[in-house]
Amino acid sequence: MLVVALPRTALFLQALNIYYFNKGYLDEQFIQLEELEDDDNPNFVEEMVTTFYNNSARLLQNIEQALVSRPIDFTKLDNYMHRFKGSSSSIGATRVKKECTIFTEYCKKANAEGCIRTFLQVKQEHACLRRKLETYFQLGRQAAGPSANAGGQVG
């Protein structure tokens, strides 16, 4: 059996990936995105996540504006959240996606208080995952070596 010694940072990165998966922050979709990385596109996942965070900022702003408008248009809110949930699914953001589902249930019931409360939770999970992925990608750049450290923050 061939045993490959991985640098400490690479081992920690692998453990962090497993931790995020086991704690429900990420799902199989994130792993599938990682499998698409190759020598021609070594930062594919980080680029996808950065795009997600850039686009999601606009969607979150739209949802927030729709929540404060009167009367509340629950159909519009549901449409915005549906798009946000789809984007979250595309990077495997499990906890964010779960909160989006709860939000849409409140939309269907025209429950403004439930929507507002859940939206705060959506934003919290979104921000939490962003911090975790920034750490993950930073460690990934460290594991890859000095030439990979040119990246920045997610989003």
Side-chain angles (χ1 to χ4, degrees):
M1 174 168 65
L2 178 66
V3 177
V4 178
L6 293 174
R8 180 179 287 169
T9 306
L11 286 172
F12 185 72
L13 186 66
Q14 187 177 37
L16 196 57
N17 185 313
I18 292 167
Y19 174 80
Y20 290 164
F21 186 82
N22 288 340
K23 291 295 182 178
Y25 291 105
L26 298 169
D27 64 16
E28 296 84 9
Q29 179 64 27
F30 188 81
I31 294 167
Q32 290 175 0
L33 289 175
E34 287 187 314
E35 291 171 356
L36 295 174
E37 287 189 342
D38 58 20
D39 291 339
D40 292 332
N41 201 353
N43 300 318
F44 177 73
V45 178
E46 187 171 3
E47 290 168 7
M48 289 289 295
V49 169
T50 298
T51 300
F52 163 73
Y53 276 99
N54 288 339
N55 293 339
S56 66
R58 180 182 40 78
L59 280 171
L60 288 173
Q61 185 177 25
N62 290 344
I63 294 166
E64 195 157 356
Q65 288 173 350
L67 280 170
V68 297
S69 68
R70 295 295 181 258
I72 293 178
D73 184 343
F74 289 100
T75 302
K76 182 188 283 187
L77 268 176
D78 188 56
N79 288 336
Y80 286 147
M81 190 56 76
H82 182 75
R83 289 184 10 218
F84 183 75
K85 182 180 176 183
S87 296
S88 300
S89 294
S90 73
I91 66 160
T94 308
R95 288 186 178 191
V96 175
K97 192 171 50 173
K98 177 185 167 215
E99 294 302 325
C100 292
T101 300
I102 295 168
F103 183 95
T104 58
E105 290 301 316
Y106 283 123
C107 280
K108 290 174 186 169
K109 297 175 184 175
N111 182 333
E113 184 180 315
C115 286
I116 292 167
R117 188 175 55 249
T118 307
F119 181 64
L120 294 174
Q121 191 65 32
V122 167
K123 287 180 22 178
Q124 182 178 335
E125 291 295 345
H126 180 261
C128 178
L129 182 61
R130 182 181 198 146
R131 290 187 303 273
K132 291 184 180 314
L133 290 175
E134 284 174 349
T135 300
Y136 182 78
F137 293 130
Q138 182 180 17
L139 287 170
R141 287 188 296 275
Q142 288 174 8
S147 63
N149 286 323
Q153 289 187 332
V154 174

